[in-house]
Amino acid sequence: MRELSAGPRVLLRRLRELMAEPLEPQERLDRIVRQIASNMVAEVCSVYVLRSDGVLELYATEGLNPDAVHLSQLKMGQGLVGTIAASAQPLNLSDAQAHPAYRYLPETGEEIYHSFLGVPILRAGRSLGVLVVQNKAQRTYREDEVEALETTAMVLAEMIATGELKTITRPGLELDLTRPVTIEGDSYNEGIGLGHVVLHEPRIVVTNLLNDDAEAERARLAEALGSLRISIDDMLSRREVSMEGEHREVLETYRMFAHDQGWVRRMEEAIHNGLTAEAAVEKVQSDTKARMMRLTDPFMRERMHDFDDLANRLLRQLTGFSGSSIESFPNDAIIFARAMGAAELLDYPRQNLRGLVLEEGAVTSHVVIVARAMGIAVVGQAAGVVALAENGDPVIIDGDDSRVHLRPMPDVQKAYEEKVRLRARRQEQFRALRDVAPVSTDGQKINLLMNAGLLVDLPQLAESGAEGIGLFRTELQFMIASTMPKVDEQEAFYRNVLKQVKGRPVTFRTLDIGGDKVLPYFRSHEEENPALGWRAIRLSLDRPGLLRTQMRALLKASAGGDLKMMLPMVTEVAEIRAARDLLQKEVQHLSKFGHSLPRRFQFGAMLEVPALMWQLDELMEEVDFVSVGSNDLFQFSMAVDRGNARVSDRFDPLGKPFLRILRDIVRAGQRHSTPVTLCGELAGRPLSSMALFGIGFRSVSMSPTAIGPVKAMILQLDIGKLAAELNAYLDQDGPGESGREFLTRFAEENGIPV
Ligand code: PEP
Ligand code: MG
């Protein structure tokens, strides 16, 4: 076996000189392959670059037929080169032609070479191309030669990533780095956003690749690893962390990785081969990522994220990098993140946000709730999207269709521009209705309210033309806080809300936590059926201190004004009485200490649990108003989990059973002259809100974006006519039209926009 003529350090030094020389890209590439071939005593050295059409094209060669350059090509997964790119793994073969994937390319004249070593050219775990050396003699390349070639491939990755090869790419073709990709995820909020990628965890770009002094770099790495380990131990020893199971587990994993000898050894080897400490961290990170990205086991993928986080921390230590690498924040930002906290999203300038793309998340995750409040499109569960994107890449997020189009082709871009224009025109029409009263053609006035929960929602009140806030979900503010908000903080927050709504009514719902609404600082127990568990008013009555604090804050914030408060998830009327007793105590307490109280006070309950249907008369007598939480009432009436996509659409809320339930509630309200409103998602869709007016609702609360479309529907609706037909329909039994069919036909026949 022949020895290397010179160590990889010498090679890297030469490459560095070549990179610095003012050369044309092709010339530079040609010299690089010549240099590698001579240094590694190989007869052949070739570079294949991955194009956006999934083809690996020969860009430069020493040893193969020079006429084959830019002609020879292999598809991803095809031949040895395609296999390396697809698997992101090196291939080291003493007899290449014996390998089952071998594919003969006659134009290259490679048949005389037997041994073959190819490594992927990687960036952030993605293959950008393949670097190959070949020899006539049958030999197996040594481990250190593989390592050296991988290190060299990093230099090429950098060259490709900087876009230098664009000028030698044939017209009409693009390199993979600019390849358009469409990723499908889950829609968490509808809407369309056109803009540019902002990576939430910006990629640290290592520009200083090659070292002058391996010993010094090794010392830098050791020092950075030392402080990393100390900082992890530090975090683990903090009291609050030691309490929390999941967070602790992540840190334990970090600690395990940080002490992993294999990881450290591979980084030291890369330094030995000539890389700087940070380039060594990046190289090993990229290799590991490439390997782990192909794993399907969710547990292992999770570990990959942990490992990636740890490597990023180490990179930050070594480069002193902190904060965003984007010099100017785009005014049409679409944030890409693996996962993120709600408060982090609020840190971005809201007016510049067009969308949010998450690799993880769930419809009910806090960040999604906040994004929805901000009115931006959200796509979640978009696997692998962060590694595919670079800061500043053009992107389209389609929250209606659950897709993300990264670096879209011009025709896709055009189609979306048109779609956005249409949407904008529709929004414009709705905006024109902002100051028009929602009165039906037969003169019935509807009270249109909006749902809110955060300060970011409030500007929408004026923009949408809603008459007030029919549901203020107070728990959202608690969910984005890192500790339990104190009474003064709560009071200041509610005061701020009341100030911003400028006299319009707000219905505050007391804390609806538990179930899937978890407070990070409030310990509760694992539950088999959280939706049916210790939540909302149940939890509040068991922890009266929590409810009393909130009541006190609300009473103080609305001193001298109006206060409207309602209780979530009531099951028995007795719960309302118990909560009222707590409120009385607060009122007495405040009066005793000379605080002024609200001028007018209304106390209501949400109707979300079917058991209340058999206490309707008692309920209506007990409260000042009732608000139907149709999301939960439907979930419990039909026994379908609202968060489980498999069953949540199985039954139709516009079917006879649910419409009859809702009608019974309205009628009970009428019997007792108790106002009844509805604040679930049902109110926000024109067809279903039309049905609600037909069965007697005159007040509904919905997301602010729905106000315009619902108002446009009301302006064309003859409620009396609909009521007569719909009631007759609901009174009938037997087969026939479904509720939805009936309503759709009515809308069509009467020219009602739904
Ligand atoms: C409902 O259940 O319909 C409701 C409005 O409450 P939430 O969606 O917050 O559970
Ligand atoms: Mg509810």
Side-chain angles (χ1 to χ4, degrees):
M1 197 187 288
R2 284 202 269 174
E3 282 300 312
L4 286 174
S5 70
R9 297 184 55 77
V10 178
L11 171 59
L12 285 182
R13 199 171 321 129
R14 297 255 160 83
L15 291 185
R16 177 159 53 177
E17 284 158 14
L18 279 175
M19 294 297 278
E21 268 187 60
L23 295 170
E24 288 298 314
Q26 186 67 53
E27 175 68 14
R28 195 190 313 282
L29 216 47
D30 290 345
R31 291 222 212 156
I32 287 176
V33 289
R34 215 172 302 148
Q35 194 60 252
I36 299 172
S38 110
N39 182 276
M40 294 193 66
V41 199
E43 280 112 21
V44 174
C45 175
S46 315
V47 177
Y48 296 81
V49 180
L50 183 60
R51 294 191 325 224
S52 61
D53 54 359
V55 169
L56 289 142
E57 178 181 316
L58 180 65
Y59 260 62
T61 185
E62 167 70 10
L64 297 185
N65 180 3
D67 293 342
V69 170
H70 294 300
L71 281 180
S72 265
Q73 44 190 43
L74 284 156
K75 285 215 181 82
M76 193 76 161
Q78 199 180 53
L80 299 177
V81 167
T83 304
I84 294 165
S87 64
Q89 299 273 13
L91 267 184
N92 183 356
L93 308 168
S94 60
D95 184 7
Q97 287 155 42
H99 192 279
Y102 177 78
R103 209 185 141 104
Y104 176 50
L105 297 176
E107 72 276 13
T108 60
E110 65 174 339
E111 61 278 10
I112 52 170
Y113 303 104
H114 290 283
S115 45
F116 173 106
L117 170 63
V119 297
I121 299 173
L122 291 177
R123 182 175 163 86
R126 266 173 81 191
S127 293
L128 301 184
V130 174
L131 175 63
V132 176
V133 288
Q134 288 170 278
N135 282 84
K136 281 188 189 143
Q138 290 205 2
R139 57 164 300 203
T140 305
Y141 298 89
R142 288 191 316 269
E143 200 43 47
D144 62 311
E145 289 175 299
V146 179
E147 185 73 30
L149 199 63
E150 281 181 346
T151 309
T152 317
M154 278 195 76
V155 178
L156 289 165
E158 191 58 28
M159 207 176 154
I160 298 173
T162 54
E164 195 181 336
L165 300 188
K166 263 196 198 127
T167 52
I168 52 168
T169 300
R170 262 179 293 157
L173 291 174
E174 301 273 0
L175 295 187
D176 185 59
L177 213 63
T178 51
R179 172 171 61 110
V181 211
T182 295
I183 302 115
E184 241 190 283
D186 290 344
S187 171
Y188 289 164
N189 195 31
E190 56 187 37
I192 290 168
L194 269 66
H196 292 89
V197 171
V198 170
L199 295 174
H200 177 58
E201 294 119 359
R203 197 162 294 142
I204 300 163
V205 182
V206 177
T207 44
N208 187 14
L209 288 177
L210 310 174
N211 76 45
D212 294 318
D213 178 354
E215 237 0 271
E217 290 303 306
R218 222 190 322 259
R220 279 184 68 223
L221 178 68
E223 193 188 333
L225 269 168
S227 14
L228 181 72
R229 287 169 186 154
I230 290 172
S231 73
I232 295 171
D233 288 346
D234 228 39
M235 282 190 275
L236 268 165
S237 63
R238 267 187 234 143
R239 243 192 52 240
E240 65 268 30
V241 169
S242 47
M243 299 299 288
E244 287 169 30
E246 200 182 329
H247 192 181
R248 191 180 177 85
E249 238 169 66
V250 171
L251 286 174
E252 293 280 13
T253 315
Y254 279 6
R255 175 147 72 179
M256 189 186 80
F257 280 135
H259 287 270
D260 182 274
Q261 284 312 312
W263 184 43
V264 178
R265 190 183 44 73
R266 278 184 288 151
M267 291 189 290
E268 284 179 346
E269 215 159 70
I271 291 176
H272 172 77
N273 282 340
L275 292 184
T276 56
E278 51 268 40
V281 176
E282 195 189 36
K283 174 182 182 295
V284 176
Q285 181 186 23
S286 198
D287 292 350
T288 312
K289 211 164 160 178
R291 225 163 297 139
M292 293 178 99
M293 256 155 82
R294 282 155 186 86
L295 299 175
T296 45
D297 179 351
F299 177 78
M300 286 312 291
R301 289 186 70 97
E302 200 45 53
R303 297 290 77 77
M304 172 185 100
H305 292 321
D306 292 344
F307 174 78
D308 213 33
D309 279 346
L310 191 74
N312 280 335
R313 273 167 194 263
L314 195 54
L315 278 177
R316 276 198 289 273
Q317 292 259 4
L318 284 162
T319 56
F321 175 95
S322 64
S324 168
S325 63
I326 310 163
E327 300 81 45
S328 58
F329 194 83
N331 60 10
D332 54 5
I334 296 181
I335 312 285
F336 275 49
R338 210 177 70 219
M340 79 195 279
E344 290 175 292
L345 183 62
L346 289 167
D347 281 343
Y348 286 105
R350 184 185 174 196
Q351 66 281 9
N352 291 13
L353 297 187
R354 297 289 174 275
L356 173 67
V357 179
L358 298 171
E359 289 198 356
E360 297 171 5
V363 188
T364 46
S365 56
H366 313 162
V367 64
V368 175
I369 292 171
V370 172
R372 222 178 290 141
M374 289 175 158
I376 57 173
V378 187
V379 171
Q381 296 294 335
V385 73
V386 173
L388 290 170
E390 297 279 343
N391 264 328
D393 275 350
V395 59
I396 297 169
I397 175 171
D398 185 341
D400 300 354
D401 215 16
S402 327
R403 276 168 217 267
V404 179
H405 303 277
L406 195 53
R407 301 176 289 267
M409 304 272 276
D411 53 338
V412 175
Q413 176 90 19
K414 254 218 183 91
Y416 271 98
E417 279 165 8
E418 187 51 32
K419 215 166 160 179
V420 166
R421 257 196 299 276
L422 267 173
R423 266 181 161 259
R425 209 171 308 144
R426 260 207 335 261
Q427 288 302 329
E428 204 44 57
Q429 288 163 355
F430 295 142
R431 210 163 305 139
L433 296 179
R434 195 171 50 187
D435 301 318
V436 176
V439 180
S440 66
T441 57
D442 58 337
Q444 312 238 29
K445 166 83 174 57
I446 304 292
N447 193 21
L448 286 186
L449 305 161
M450 66 168 240
N451 297 342
L454 295 167
L455 289 179
V456 293
D457 298 334
L458 298 178
Q460 305 249 35
L461 187 54
E463 282 164 31
S464 67
E467 285 172 62
I469 295 176
L471 165 65
F472 195 95
R473 293 178 161 110
T474 59
E475 64 276 3
L476 297 194
Q477 189 61 21
F478 283 66
M479 281 160 68
I480 62 168
S482 50
T483 54
M484 183 71 85
K486 304 215 165 48
V487 66
D488 297 348
E489 289 164 345
Q490 290 187 47
E491 183 191 333
F493 175 72
Y494 301 136
R495 211 181 270 285
N496 197 348
V497 173
L498 291 167
K499 188 172 136 214
Q500 292 200 42
V501 300
K502 299 195 178 84
R504 273 177 280 201
V506 182
T507 305
F508 290 100
R509 173 172 77 184
T510 62
L511 280 182
D512 186 8
I513 49 173
D516 58 0
K517 295 175 184 166
V518 204
L519 305 186
Y521 43 84
F522 186 83
R523 299 238 296 146
S524 56
H525 300 281
E526 277 282 309
E527 292 183 314
E528 191 95 356
N529 286 305
L532 305 179
W534 194 54
R535 51 175 293 200
I537 185 70
R538 303 167 183 186
L539 186 152
S540 296
L541 289 176
D542 291 353
R543 292 275 181 279
L546 203 65
L547 185 57
R548 280 186 66 168
T549 307
Q550 187 178 32
M551 286 172 159
R552 188 180 312 169
L554 283 168
L555 285 165
K556 285 170 84 175
S558 23
D562 288 358
L563 174 60
K564 235 180 143 176
M565 185 194 295
M566 66 179 175
L567 307 169
M569 280 281 293
V570 173
T571 310
E572 291 188 337
V573 172
E575 290 169 319
I576 306 172
R577 293 189 192 118
R580 199 195 289 279
D581 286 347
L582 292 177
L583 184 73
Q584 274 316 322
K585 286 198 179 118
E586 275 314 310
V587 169
Q588 278 161 13
H589 177 87
L590 289 177
S591 325
K592 198 166 118 193
F593 290 96
H595 291 283
S596 56
L597 292 167
R599 190 168 41 95
R600 203 165 93 96
F601 181 73
Q602 287 168 275
F603 198 59
M606 288 192 74
L607 201 165
E608 305 184 276
V609 180
L612 276 188
M613 295 302 295
W614 290 272
Q615 306 164 72
L616 280 176
D617 291 311
E618 204 183 344
L619 170 72
M620 296 296 169
E621 282 304 301
E622 186 64 38
V623 293
D624 300 314
F625 66 95
V626 163
S627 184
V628 180
S630 57
N631 303 338
D632 277 319
L633 184 60
F634 186 71
Q635 145 165 285
F636 296 132
S637 298
M638 312 315 249
V640 284
D641 180 348
R642 62 192 260 192
N644 179 348
R646 277 196 119 135
V647 292
S648 57
D649 290 337
R650 191 177 179 92
F651 304 108
D652 192 349
L654 296 184
K656 264 184 195 162
F658 198 59
L659 288 181
R660 283 174 177 166
I661 290 176
L662 295 176
R663 187 174 64 168
D664 284 350
I665 300 170
V666 177
R667 286 180 174 171
Q670 286 164 349
R671 279 200 301 279
H672 294 268
S673 302
T674 303
V676 174
T677 179
L678 185 142
C679 61
E681 305 307 312
L682 201 57
R685 290 178 212 112
L687 185 72
S688 43
S689 62
M690 183 185 90
L692 295 176
F693 304 138
I695 55 176
F697 280 93
R698 292 295 176 267
S699 169
V700 279
S701 191
M702 61 195 75
S703 76
T705 47
I707 299 273
V710 169
K711 197 188 277 186
M713 180 273 295
I714 295 170
L715 296 175
Q716 304 299 322
L717 176 67
D718 180 338
I719 294 183
K721 183 174 178 203
L722 170 64
E725 292 186 26
L726 182 56
N727 279 321
Y729 167 78
L730 290 178
D731 289 337
Q732 269 166 31
D733 277 327
E737 266 178 324
S738 72
R740 188 169 293 273
E741 284 162 354
F742 169 87
L743 292 160
T744 311
R745 184 175 50 76
F746 181 89
E748 261 168 31
E749 286 173 4
N750 293 277
I752 298 157
V754 287

